[in-house]
């Protein structure tokens, strides 16, 4: 036990802890049981500090440091057993009451209930999200630099990714003495004079394969195109529009040209979820130490 209380031993344990925790050191690549090793090192460090405090009871600093270390290690241990972490995925207008839980190595553990609904009203510039939380009369903004808490859970690190679908198309119609712009959303046909326009298919990154069949190279809206179903007094028509080629999609029977002027891609928000029941105790221990 005497060797464990030596300053060199304590310093070595703290250095190992720092290496295991530092984000620049990918210890999990060469240390599969990183979590178990880190827990053992932290426990040994706390024991060493307690023994040093017992050996020198007159030193207040050693006692406070030992007490802080015990609180931190104990709180981290309880949070490791009773805490949860994972990812919550939402699209604008969607609400969920569960998230996908993951272990410290990133493996999925299945769905974990939140115990309350959380909704996404809309995404905002800079990967910010306007969330609908229980008990809040207004939306709460979550940003990459500002986490929010609700129901004992902490929500942080939002990330917005395209789903490959589209929330809204802005289609221009010109000819027959008019030039109008209408919004077309999936499942919601739009009227434009004597025309009814509906979205039949959408390609966020349009391309043609070897058989000259359309497909999308990615989910990113790099070269968006859409197939529209147009109903008119002269019959139904199928019109393809491509944003990179505005104004060239003309239907002679209707004497009108169609153009894809803008798109609003559908996005999915991924939010990191954490539940750490004794995080406040760990903070107190850190302040003491």
């Amino acid at each position: 036990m005497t060797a464990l209380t030596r300053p060199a031993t304590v310093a070595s344990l703290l250095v190992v802890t720092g290496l295991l925790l530092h984000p620049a050191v990918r210890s999990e690549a060469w240390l599969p049981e990183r979590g178990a090793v880190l827990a053992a090192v932290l426990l040994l460090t706390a024991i060493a500090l307690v023994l040093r405090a017992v050996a020198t009871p007159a030193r207040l600093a050693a006692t406070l440091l030992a007490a802080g270390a015990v609180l931190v290690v104990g709180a981290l241990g309880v949070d490791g057993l009773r805490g949860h972490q994972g990812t919550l995925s939402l699209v604008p207008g969607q609400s969920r009451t569960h998230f996908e839980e993951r272990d410290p190595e990133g493996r999925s553990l299945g769905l974990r209930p939140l115990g309350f609904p959380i909704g996404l009203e809309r995404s905002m510039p800079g990967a910010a999200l306007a969330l609908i939380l229980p008990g809040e009369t207004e939306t709460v903004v979550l940003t990459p630099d500002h986490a929010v808490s609700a129901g004992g859970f902490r929500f942080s690190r939002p990330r917005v990714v395209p789903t490959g679908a589209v929330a809204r198309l802005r289609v221009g119609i010109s000819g027959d003495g008019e030039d109008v712009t209408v919004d077309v959303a999936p499942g919601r046909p739009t009227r434009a004079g004597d025309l009814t326009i509906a979205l039949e298919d959408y390609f966020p990154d349009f391309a043609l394969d070897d058989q000259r069949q359309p497909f999308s190279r990615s989910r990113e809206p790099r070269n968006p195109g859409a197939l529209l179903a147009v109903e008119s007094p002269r019959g139904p028509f199928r019109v393809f529009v491509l944003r990179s080629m505005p104004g060239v999609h003309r239907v002679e029977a209707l004497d009108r040209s169609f153009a894809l002027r803008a798109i609003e891609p559908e996005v999915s928000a991924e939010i990191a979820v954490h539940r750490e029941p004794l995080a406040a105790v760990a903070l107190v221990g850190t302040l003491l130490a």
Side-chain angles (χ1 to χ4, degrees), residues 119-134:
L120 174 60
E121 182 184 81
R122 67 186 186 279
S123 61
M124 304 167 66
L129 305 175
L131 300 179
I132 303 173
L133 298 178

Side-chain angles (χ1 to χ4, degrees), residues 206-225:
F206 173 78
L208 293 174
D209 61 18
D210 296 338
Q211 284 73 43
R212 309 296 294 173
Q213 296 299 313
F215 75 102
S216 186
R217 288 171 292 200
S218 69
R219 294 183 178 183
E220 299 285 344
R222 298 190 178 101
N223 186 33

Side-chain angles (χ1 to χ4, degrees), residues 106-146:
R107 294 183 293 262
S108 176
L109 299 176
L111 298 180
R112 165 73 59 173
L114 287 168
F116 57 90
I118 176 172
L120 174 60
E121 182 184 81
R122 67 186 186 279
S123 61
M124 304 167 66
L129 305 175
L131 300 179
I132 303 173
L133 298 178
E136 300 288 344
T137 57
E138 298 181 353
T139 58
V140 178
V141 178
L142 171 65
T143 70
D145 301 321
H146 177 68

Side-chain angles (χ1 to χ4, degrees), residues 4-231:
L4 192 60
T5 62
R6 291 175 182 173
T9 303
V10 176
S12 299
L13 291 171
L14 292 174
V15 168
V16 172
T17 301
L19 289 174
L20 292 173
L21 290 175
H22 201 283
V25 180
R26 299 186 61 83
S27 55
E28 64 273 7
W30 49 269
L31 190 63
E33 299 299 328
R34 170 181 173 272
V37 173
L38 178 60
V41 172
L42 286 172
L43 184 60
L44 282 175
T45 303
I47 293 173
L49 292 174
V50 170
L51 291 176
R52 283 180 59 82
V54 171
T56 55
R59 293 180 59 185
L60 179 61
T63 303
L64 290 176
L65 181 59
V70 169
L71 286 177
V72 170
V73 173
L76 292 178
V78 172
D79 283 348
L81 293 173
R82 299 186 57 192
H84 307 287
Q85 63 180 2
T87 305
L88 173 65
S89 298
L90 292 167
V91 298
Q94 185 181 40
S95 178
R96 286 190 170 176
T97 58
H98 56 267
F99 67 98
E100 183 182 11
E101 186 174 12
R102 297 183 180 275
D103 66 11
E105 308 302 325
R107 294 183 293 262
S108 176
L109 299 176
L111 298 180
R112 165 73 59 173
L114 287 168
F116 57 90
I118 176 172
L120 174 60
E121 182 184 81
R122 67 186 186 279
S123 61
M124 304 167 66
L129 305 175
L131 300 179
I132 303 173
L133 298 178
E136 300 288 344
T137 57
E138 298 181 353
T139 58
V140 178
V141 178
L142 171 65
T143 70
D145 301 321
H146 177 68
V148 299
S149 298
F153 289 89
R154 180 166 56 89
F155 303 93
S156 62
R157 300 198 305 274
R159 191 167 69 96
V160 177
V161 296
T163 65
V166 67
R168 183 179 60 174
L169 301 173
R170 180 150 289 182
V171 178
I173 307 169
S174 58
D176 197 22
E178 64 178 4
D179 187 353
V180 299
T181 300
V182 295
D183 290 336
V184 181
R188 297 202 299 270
T190 300
R191 293 283 299 179
D194 59 351
L195 304 179
T196 300
I197 304 170
L199 176 63
E200 186 171 313
D201 207 350
Y202 170 71
F203 306 91
D205 192 5
F206 173 78
L208 293 174
D209 61 18
D210 296 338
Q211 284 73 43
R212 309 296 294 173
Q213 296 299 313
F215 75 102
S216 186
R217 288 171 292 200
S218 69
R219 294 183 178 183
E220 299 285 344
R222 298 190 178 101
N223 186 33
L227 181 62
L228 306 176
V230 180
E231 295 284 343

Side-chain angles (χ1 to χ4, degrees), residues 261-274:
R261 293 179 176 172
I263 66 162
E264 182 183 329
E266 182 186 80
V267 296
S268 173
E270 296 182 356
I271 306 171
V273 183
H274 294 271

